[in-house]
Amino acid sequence: KSFAEKFTPVNLEQLEKTYGAGGTVSPKTLLTANVISRQSGRVPKVKILGKGIISKNLIISGCAISASAKVAVEKAGGSVQSL
C-alpha cells in the first residue's frame, strides 16, 4: 500500500457550475462548496483537470493543474498560482 497522498480530481465543468466570475478556487473553497470531501479528516490535495468548458475568470490557488486546464483558465481571463 502506497503512503503517497493521491490527488482528488476536479474538472473545469464543476468549477464553471460552482464559482462565480473572479472566484478563487482552492482546496478549502472546494471543500466548503461540497465539490470535494475530506480524506482521513484532512483537506485533500486537488488536481484541476481539463474536462469541460470554463468561461469565467477564476483564480486557481493551491491546486495542481493539468496543462490543458491551465490553458483554458488563462484563456478565460483567469490565473493560476503555483503550488
XYZ file of all heavy atoms in Angstrom:
599
model
N 0.847 -1.181 0.000
C 0.000 0.000 0.000
C 0.889 1.239 0.000
O 1.804 1.350 0.793
C -0.889 -0.035 1.228
C -2.055 0.888 1.142
C -3.001 0.615 2.304
C -4.236 1.445 2.158
N -5.147 1.294 3.245
N 0.574 2.170 -0.868
C 1.376 3.379 -1.001
C 0.979 4.411 0.050
O -0.198 4.587 0.362
C 1.177 3.966 -2.405
O 1.820 5.200 -2.496
N 1.983 5.097 0.561
C 1.723 6.163 1.523
C 1.622 7.518 0.838
O 1.330 8.511 1.472
C 2.820 6.209 2.590
C 2.743 5.030 3.514
C 3.649 3.993 3.415
C 1.758 4.948 4.479
C 3.581 2.903 4.270
C 1.670 3.866 5.336
C 2.594 2.836 5.232
N 1.888 7.558 -0.464
C 1.803 8.821 -1.203
C 0.343 9.271 -1.236
O -0.558 8.497 -1.512
C 2.332 8.644 -2.617
N 0.149 10.545 -0.939
C -1.199 11.098 -0.945
C -1.646 11.312 -2.380
O -0.937 11.888 -3.189
C -1.202 12.422 -0.181
C -2.570 12.853 0.239
C -2.538 14.068 1.143
O -1.469 14.393 1.674
O -3.581 14.695 1.288
N -2.832 10.817 -2.699
C -3.337 10.940 -4.054
C -4.098 12.259 -4.216
O -4.625 12.795 -3.263
C -4.260 9.776 -4.368
C -3.572 8.435 -4.235
C -4.161 7.435 -5.184
C -3.577 6.065 -5.133
N -2.247 5.842 -4.843
N -4.127 12.744 -5.459
C -4.872 13.962 -5.756
C -6.342 13.634 -5.986
O -6.680 12.603 -6.555
C -4.314 14.631 -7.026
C -3.006 15.319 -6.806
C -1.816 14.696 -7.138
C -2.958 16.591 -6.271
C -0.600 15.328 -6.940
C -1.749 17.237 -6.066
C -0.572 16.603 -6.401
N -7.207 14.528 -5.561
C -8.630 14.424 -5.849
C -8.888 15.204 -7.133
O -8.601 16.398 -7.190
C -9.462 15.025 -4.697
O -9.172 14.306 -3.497
C -10.949 14.961 -4.996
N -9.396 14.554 -8.188
C -9.604 15.255 -9.451
C -10.860 16.126 -9.426
O -11.890 15.735 -8.876
C -9.750 14.124 -10.468
C -10.287 12.983 -9.674
C -9.718 13.136 -8.285
N -10.747 17.313 -10.018
C -11.884 18.217 -10.180
C -11.825 18.744 -11.613
O -10.790 19.245 -12.041
C -11.835 19.391 -9.173
C -12.982 20.354 -9.414
C -11.862 18.882 -7.740
N -12.920 18.622 -12.347
C -12.952 19.062 -13.737
C -13.395 20.511 -13.867
O -14.091 21.045 -12.996
C -13.896 18.170 -14.551
C -13.307 16.802 -14.790
O -12.206 16.680 -15.312
N -14.024 15.764 -14.389
N -13.009 21.124 -14.986
C -13.386 22.513 -15.248
C -14.899 22.700 -15.225
O -15.393 23.726 -14.756
C -12.832 22.959 -16.611
C -11.317 23.137 -16.699
C -10.924 23.499 -18.122
C -10.824 24.193 -15.725
N -15.635 21.715 -15.721
C -17.097 21.839 -15.754
C -17.677 21.984 -14.342
O -18.660 22.700 -14.142
C -17.725 20.657 -16.496
C -17.462 19.305 -15.875
C -17.877 18.134 -16.760
O -18.281 18.372 -17.921
O -17.798 16.990 -16.291
N -17.047 21.357 -13.352
C -17.505 21.506 -11.968
C -17.220 22.923 -11.455
O -18.039 23.491 -10.735
C -16.813 20.477 -11.064
C -17.222 19.048 -11.359
C -16.350 18.054 -10.625
O -15.207 17.833 -10.996
N -16.893 17.441 -9.579
N -16.080 23.477 -11.844
C -15.744 24.841 -11.421
C -16.692 25.844 -12.061
O -17.103 26.816 -11.423
C -14.296 25.175 -11.802
C -13.215 24.264 -11.218
C -11.836 24.749 -11.649
C -13.313 24.181 -9.711
N -17.041 25.624 -13.318
C -17.957 26.513 -14.040
C -19.309 26.581 -13.331
O -19.894 27.648 -13.204
C -18.122 26.017 -15.482
C -19.039 26.852 -16.341
C -18.476 28.197 -16.753
O -17.244 28.405 -16.699
O -19.281 29.069 -17.127
N -19.800 25.449 -12.843
C -21.097 25.388 -12.160
C -21.035 25.991 -10.761
O -22.014 26.550 -10.271
C -21.570 23.936 -12.032
C -21.940 23.277 -13.328
C -22.321 21.828 -13.062
C -22.450 21.042 -14.350
N -22.659 19.607 -14.111
N -19.897 25.860 -10.097
C -19.802 26.183 -8.675
C -19.401 27.623 -8.377
O -19.894 28.228 -7.431
C -18.790 25.228 -7.997
O -19.175 23.881 -8.287
C -18.751 25.430 -6.502
N -18.505 28.199 -9.186
C -17.927 29.504 -8.864
C -18.437 30.604 -9.777
O -18.694 30.377 -10.961
C -16.393 29.441 -8.984
C -15.756 28.602 -7.908
C -15.556 27.238 -8.085
C -15.367 29.166 -6.706
C -14.988 26.461 -7.101
C -14.798 28.393 -5.707
C -14.614 27.050 -5.907
O -14.059 26.291 -4.923
N -18.536 31.808 -9.210
C -18.864 32.993 -9.990
C -17.594 33.598 -10.552
O -16.485 33.229 -10.156
N -17.744 34.526 -11.483
C -16.597 35.187 -12.097
C -15.733 35.842 -11.015
O -16.247 36.449 -10.078
C -17.055 36.223 -13.112
N -14.425 35.689 -11.148
C -13.489 36.281 -10.193
C -13.297 35.461 -8.929
O -12.579 35.872 -8.027
N -13.928 34.299 -8.858
C -13.832 33.460 -7.666
C -12.453 32.830 -7.519
O -11.725 32.655 -8.494
N -12.103 32.516 -6.285
C -10.835 31.856 -6.002
C -11.091 30.383 -5.723
O -11.889 30.044 -4.854
C -10.133 32.500 -4.790
O -9.872 33.871 -5.082
C -8.824 31.794 -4.480
N -10.411 29.533 -6.484
C -10.546 28.084 -6.333
C -9.341 27.572 -5.550
O -8.202 27.763 -5.962
C -10.599 27.403 -7.722
C -10.708 25.896 -7.556
C -11.749 27.948 -8.550
N -9.601 26.950 -4.421
C -8.543 26.348 -3.606
C -9.137 25.093 -2.963
O -10.358 24.917 -2.959
C -8.073 27.329 -2.526
O -9.077 27.482 -1.537
N -8.297 24.221 -2.418
C -8.853 23.044 -1.748
C -9.884 23.399 -0.670
O -10.918 22.752 -0.557
C -7.622 22.360 -1.152
C -6.521 22.725 -2.103
C -6.831 24.150 -2.492
N -9.659 24.470 0.070
C -10.593 24.846 1.143
C -11.914 25.350 0.590
O -12.977 25.022 1.109
C -9.957 25.894 2.062
C -8.905 25.293 2.964
C -8.368 26.283 3.950
C -7.298 25.603 4.817
N -6.701 26.498 5.787
N -11.886 26.157 -0.491
C -13.151 26.647 -1.053
C -13.908 25.520 -1.745
O -15.136 25.499 -1.730
C -12.936 27.827 -2.025
O -12.159 27.407 -3.148
C -12.285 29.004 -1.339
N -13.191 24.558 -2.345
C -13.851 23.393 -2.944
C -14.531 22.554 -1.865
O -15.622 22.037 -2.069
C -12.832 22.547 -3.714
C -12.334 23.132 -5.033
C -11.078 22.408 -5.498
C -13.410 23.089 -6.097
N -13.897 22.429 -0.713
C -14.461 21.681 0.412
C -15.711 22.387 0.932
O -16.752 21.759 1.147
C -13.410 21.547 1.515
C -13.726 20.643 2.681
C -13.873 19.202 2.233
C -12.634 20.728 3.728
N -15.636 23.701 1.099
C -16.769 24.496 1.574
C -17.959 24.391 0.629
O -19.110 24.332 1.067
C -16.347 25.973 1.736
O -15.251 26.031 2.649
C -17.478 26.819 2.273
N -17.681 24.347 -0.683
C -18.742 24.259 -1.693
C -19.231 22.824 -1.913
O -20.054 22.574 -2.787
C -18.241 24.849 -3.006
N -18.714 21.882 -1.132
C -19.085 20.460 -1.234
C -18.765 19.844 -2.591
O -19.440 18.914 -3.028
C -20.563 20.243 -0.886
C -20.852 20.495 0.569
O -20.062 20.127 1.433
N -21.949 21.154 0.846
N -17.744 20.347 -3.261
C -17.286 19.743 -4.515
C -16.396 18.545 -4.196
O -16.413 17.547 -4.897
C -16.534 20.783 -5.385
C -15.954 20.143 -6.632
C -17.457 21.936 -5.746
N -15.631 18.644 -3.117
C -14.780 17.552 -2.648
C -15.115 17.279 -1.189
O -15.808 18.074 -0.549
C -13.272 17.883 -2.796
C -12.893 19.120 -1.963
C -12.899 18.056 -4.255
C -11.406 19.401 -1.905
N -14.625 16.176 -0.665
C -14.841 15.871 0.751
C -13.504 15.549 1.414
O -12.528 15.231 0.739
C -15.817 14.703 0.905
O -15.346 13.587 0.199
N -13.504 15.645 2.723
C -12.281 15.368 3.478
C -11.853 13.921 3.300
O -12.682 13.040 3.137
C -12.490 15.647 4.966
C -12.655 17.098 5.280
C -12.759 17.316 6.789
N -12.942 18.726 7.092
C -11.936 19.574 7.265
N -10.692 19.154 7.198
N -12.172 20.837 7.526
N -10.537 13.689 3.340
C -9.995 12.337 3.287
C -9.183 12.129 4.552
O -8.270 12.889 4.825
C -9.121 12.157 2.047
C -9.904 12.212 0.758
C -9.021 12.083 -0.464
O -7.807 12.136 -0.377
N -9.646 11.907 -1.604
N -9.562 11.139 5.297
C -8.920 10.851 6.583
C -8.937 12.076 7.491
O -7.985 12.352 8.208
C -7.481 10.369 6.370
O -7.452 9.226 5.552
N -10.022 12.842 7.426
C -10.179 14.012 8.281
C -9.415 15.243 7.832
O -9.423 16.257 8.510
N -8.742 15.164 6.671
C -7.942 16.296 6.207
C -8.445 16.798 4.858
O -9.095 16.075 4.115
C -6.473 15.892 6.064
C -5.862 15.464 7.390
C -4.393 15.270 7.306
N -4.031 14.328 6.247
C -2.868 13.737 6.158
N -1.952 13.958 7.061
N -2.599 12.908 5.177
N -8.093 18.048 4.557
C -8.403 18.609 3.250
C -7.479 17.927 2.241
O -6.261 17.932 2.405
C -8.174 20.142 3.235
C -8.437 20.705 1.848
C -9.055 20.817 4.274
N -8.039 17.310 1.200
C -7.204 16.570 0.247
C -6.455 17.480 -0.723
O -6.805 18.648 -0.897
C -8.225 15.716 -0.508
C -9.473 16.530 -0.467
C -9.452 17.215 0.870
N -5.422 16.920 -1.352
C -4.754 17.615 -2.440
C -5.678 17.543 -3.654
O -6.361 16.540 -3.853
C -3.421 16.946 -2.777
C -2.389 17.101 -1.698
C -1.093 16.445 -2.132
C -0.015 16.612 -1.095
N 1.253 16.010 -1.522
N -5.702 18.606 -4.454
C -6.629 18.685 -5.576
C -5.856 18.893 -6.868
O -4.866 19.625 -6.906
C -7.614 19.867 -5.368
C -8.501 20.069 -6.584
C -8.459 19.636 -4.126
N -6.332 18.237 -7.932
C -5.793 18.477 -9.263
C -6.940 18.870 -10.176
O -7.936 18.166 -10.280
C -5.077 17.254 -9.833
C -4.456 17.558 -11.195
C -3.436 16.533 -11.605
C -2.737 17.008 -12.887
N -1.665 16.110 -13.260
N -6.797 20.034 -10.817
C -7.794 20.529 -11.750
C -7.516 19.901 -13.113
O -6.399 19.989 -13.625
C -7.751 22.073 -11.858
C -7.807 22.738 -10.471
C -8.855 22.575 -12.778
C -9.046 22.470 -9.673
N -8.549 19.259 -13.687
C -8.415 18.600 -14.980
C -9.210 19.361 -16.040
O -10.128 20.102 -15.722
C -8.902 17.154 -14.880
C -8.187 16.287 -13.840
C -8.797 14.906 -13.793
C -6.698 16.210 -14.124
N -8.855 19.144 -17.307
C -9.381 19.952 -18.408
C -10.710 19.535 -18.999
O -11.079 20.039 -20.050
N -11.471 18.653 -18.367
C -12.751 18.235 -18.941
C -13.792 19.333 -18.752
O -14.025 19.790 -17.637
C -13.240 16.942 -18.294
C -14.541 16.447 -18.881
C -14.995 15.165 -18.233
C -16.329 14.756 -18.828
N -16.997 13.765 -18.029
N -14.426 19.733 -19.839
C -15.463 20.758 -19.769
C -14.953 22.098 -20.265
O -13.799 22.242 -20.668
N -15.845 23.062 -20.245
C -15.532 24.405 -20.737
C -15.633 25.376 -19.572
O -16.556 25.303 -18.764
C -16.512 24.809 -21.855
C -16.359 23.866 -23.042
C -16.302 26.245 -22.279
C -17.393 24.035 -24.116
N -14.691 26.296 -19.508
C -14.708 27.337 -18.478
C -14.807 28.685 -19.180
O -14.101 28.934 -20.146
C -13.464 27.245 -17.552
C -13.602 28.157 -16.337
C -12.186 27.541 -18.269
C -14.287 27.502 -15.201
N -15.725 29.535 -18.727
C -15.889 30.848 -19.348
C -15.667 31.975 -18.348
O -15.671 33.141 -18.710
C -17.293 30.964 -19.952
O -18.269 30.858 -18.926
N -15.474 31.625 -17.083
C -15.308 32.631 -16.024
C -13.835 32.802 -15.683
O -13.066 31.862 -15.738
C -16.082 32.194 -14.782
C -17.554 32.023 -15.042
C -18.236 31.377 -13.865
C -19.692 31.099 -14.193
N -20.302 30.195 -13.243
N -13.472 34.031 -15.321
C -12.092 34.293 -14.916
C -11.916 33.902 -13.452
O -12.281 34.632 -12.561
C -11.716 35.764 -15.155
C -12.613 36.712 -14.388
O -13.769 36.413 -14.118
N -12.091 37.858 -14.019
N -11.385 32.713 -13.240
C -11.167 32.191 -11.893
C -9.696 32.266 -11.524
O -8.828 32.238 -12.385
C -11.637 30.729 -11.822
C -13.099 30.464 -12.131
C -13.369 28.968 -12.125
C -14.007 31.168 -11.147
N -9.436 32.325 -10.228
C -8.068 32.299 -9.710
C -7.882 30.918 -9.072
O -8.594 30.570 -8.128
C -7.855 33.411 -8.667
C -8.109 34.773 -9.310
C -6.461 33.325 -8.071
C -8.335 35.882 -8.312
N -6.957 30.138 -9.623
C -6.683 28.804 -9.099
C -5.491 28.913 -8.155
O -4.423 29.361 -8.552
C -6.355 27.809 -10.232
C -7.387 27.870 -11.361
C -6.194 26.405 -9.679
C -8.758 27.398 -11.016
N -5.675 28.505 -6.910
C -4.620 28.640 -5.905
C -4.505 27.364 -5.081
O -5.513 26.818 -4.638
C -4.959 29.819 -4.991
O -4.042 29.922 -3.944
N -3.281 26.881 -4.887
C -3.049 25.727 -4.023
C -3.473 24.405 -4.614
O -3.647 23.434 -3.882
N -3.681 24.352 -5.933
C -4.104 23.123 -6.602
C -3.107 22.774 -7.692
O -2.557 23.662 -8.330
C -5.468 23.305 -7.264
S -6.803 23.754 -6.151
N -2.904 21.485 -7.911
C -2.174 21.063 -9.102
C -3.138 21.237 -10.275
O -4.352 21.223 -10.088
C -1.753 19.607 -8.958
N -2.605 21.427 -11.472
C -3.478 21.659 -12.623
C -2.854 21.048 -13.866
O -1.640 21.113 -14.054
C -3.761 23.179 -12.794
C -4.814 23.433 -13.867
C -2.493 23.951 -13.049
C -5.384 24.836 -13.842
N -3.701 20.439 -14.699
C -3.196 19.853 -15.945
C -2.881 20.973 -16.932
O -3.394 22.094 -16.806
C -4.221 18.890 -16.542
O -5.331 19.606 -17.049
N -2.052 20.668 -17.912
C -1.652 21.671 -18.906
C -2.859 22.196 -19.674
O -2.990 23.410 -19.880
C -0.622 21.083 -19.856
N -3.774 21.308 -20.071
C -4.943 21.748 -20.833
C -5.876 22.616 -19.993
O -6.449 23.595 -20.480
C -5.702 20.544 -21.403
O -6.189 19.726 -20.366
N -6.017 22.291 -18.710
C -6.857 23.094 -17.823
C -6.237 24.470 -17.606
O -6.940 25.483 -17.578
C -7.056 22.387 -16.488
N -4.913 24.528 -17.469
C -4.233 25.809 -17.278
C -4.455 26.723 -18.476
O -4.776 27.901 -18.321
C -2.737 25.582 -17.046
C -1.988 26.868 -16.763
C -0.539 26.607 -16.434
C 0.142 27.944 -16.141
N 1.550 27.801 -15.897
N -4.318 26.169 -19.670
C -4.543 26.953 -20.891
C -5.981 27.465 -20.923
O -6.222 28.640 -21.225
C -4.224 26.102 -22.144
C -4.709 26.776 -23.409
C -2.727 25.824 -22.226
N -6.954 26.620 -20.590
C -8.366 27.010 -20.617
C -8.667 28.115 -19.601
O -9.379 29.069 -19.905
C -9.252 25.797 -20.359
N -8.117 27.997 -18.400
C -8.345 29.006 -17.353
C -7.745 30.340 -17.776
O -8.385 31.395 -17.652
C -7.750 28.537 -16.001
C -7.692 29.674 -14.994
C -8.560 27.375 -15.444
N -6.525 30.313 -18.297
C -5.871 31.555 -18.709
C -6.565 32.166 -19.927
O -6.671 33.383 -20.033
C -4.392 31.304 -18.973
C -3.644 31.017 -17.667
C -2.198 30.598 -17.839
O -1.802 30.232 -18.967
O -1.471 30.619 -16.827
N -7.073 31.346 -20.821
C -7.795 31.832 -21.999
C -9.089 32.539 -21.582
O -9.509 33.494 -22.220
C -8.108 30.667 -22.932
C -8.670 31.066 -24.268
C -8.829 29.862 -25.173
C -9.404 30.254 -26.512
N -9.612 29.092 -27.383
N -9.707 32.072 -20.510
C -10.939 32.673 -19.996
C -10.658 33.934 -19.159
O -11.583 34.557 -18.642
C -11.714 31.667 -19.164
N -9.374 34.299 -19.033
C -9.022 35.509 -18.271
C -8.644 35.252 -16.839
O -8.411 36.187 -16.075
N -8.585 34.000 -16.438
C -8.226 33.663 -15.069
C -6.724 33.517 -14.901
O -5.957 33.754 -15.829
N -6.317 33.135 -13.701
C -4.891 32.965 -13.432
C -4.673 31.730 -12.566
O -5.568 31.266 -11.886
C -4.327 34.199 -12.719
O -4.914 34.362 -11.460
N -3.449 31.224 -12.641
C -3.066 30.040 -11.886
C -1.861 30.393 -11.025
O -0.836 30.823 -11.535
C -2.705 28.864 -12.835
C -2.247 27.656 -12.022
C -3.888 28.514 -13.721
N -2.021 30.248 -9.714
C -0.925 30.475 -8.783
C -0.334 29.109 -8.460
O -1.048 28.217 -8.026
C -1.416 31.179 -7.528
C -2.013 32.540 -7.827
C -2.727 33.131 -6.630
O -2.906 32.488 -5.603
N -3.170 34.368 -6.759
N 0.938 28.949 -8.689
C 1.563 27.639 -8.498
C 1.569 27.209 -7.053
O 1.472 28.012 -6.137
C 2.983 27.625 -9.073
O 3.640 28.822 -8.834
N 1.673 25.881 -6.866
C 1.709 25.293 -5.523
C 2.841 25.834 -4.776
O 3.594 26.030 -4.278
C 1.795 23.770 -5.605
C 0.515 23.063 -5.995
C 0.771 21.571 -6.223
C -0.531 23.194 -4.905
